[in-house]
Amino acid sequence: MHRSVRFLLAAVFAVAACSNGITGPTAAVAADDVVITATVPGSCRPGVACDPISPSYTLGLITVRNNGTAAAYLRTCGSTVRLTEQQLVNGQWQAVGPAITCAVGPVSIALAAGDSIQSNWWFAPGTRRLALGVAPTADLSGEALAASASFVVH
């Protein structure tokens, strides 16, 4: 191999090794045909109070949609869907926010084929995504993780 080609390859590998690009998955990940979409910034759902929790946070509109032909079962916390916010840190997705214990309520709720639910969420700056456990059965056996595409909050 010519010396100039080796030098060029070494330079390319050095730049790639030192870059701070996103190494975690950035596309949406569907589970049992359930897809999570985050629109950030997003609108406030009608009839919901969307007062800012901090000037540095941005409101998002979250949609969980079942694109399948059968019901999907979503992990819950109390009477609502248990979405988990994740932040990309050093190429790894890490859960953010307070640790919440869900001791009461059903383990899952059914989302009918073709149906969707929406929620508002406040996001701090950073590279974020939302994740949710989804399964084909109410007892969540065979549960898989659905995740929204990553997005950057400024």
Side-chain angles (χ1 to χ4, degrees):
M1 186 178 295
H2 292 284
R3 185 177 293 173
S4 59
V5 173
R6 274 189 257 158
F7 176 76
L8 178 60
L9 287 174
V12 168
F13 288 129
V15 168
C18 294
S19 70
N20 286 330
I22 295 175
T23 59
T26 58
V29 177
D32 290 302
D33 295 315
V34 171
V35 177
I36 304 169
T37 305
T39 305
V40 181
S43 58
C44 185
R45 292 180 314 134
V48 176
C50 292
D51 298 325
I53 58 174
S54 167
S56 64
Y57 280 59
T58 301
L59 181 66
L61 179 63
I62 311 308
T63 303
V64 179
R65 179 175 309 283
N66 181 353
N67 291 329
T69 57
Y73 294 86
L74 314 177
R75 181 167 289 283
T76 60
C77 183
S79 61
T80 188
V81 175
R82 187 176 186 167
L83 287 165
T84 300
E85 182 179 352
Q86 297 178 335
Q87 181 177 12
L88 192 66
V89 178
N90 297 323
Q92 300 294 318
W93 289 110
Q94 297 181 2
V96 296
I100 298 173
T101 301
C102 301
V104 183
V107 70
S108 69
I109 59 169
L111 183 61
D115 206 357
S116 65
I117 56 173
Q118 287 190 317
S119 180
N120 285 114
W121 199 282
W122 287 99
F123 294 99
T127 301
R128 309 280 176 167
R129 76 175 186 179
L130 290 170
L132 173 64
V134 181
T137 60
D139 66 0
L140 296 179
S141 58
E143 182 179 26
L145 192 69
S148 69
S150 64
F151 52 92
V152 177
V153 180
H154 298 283

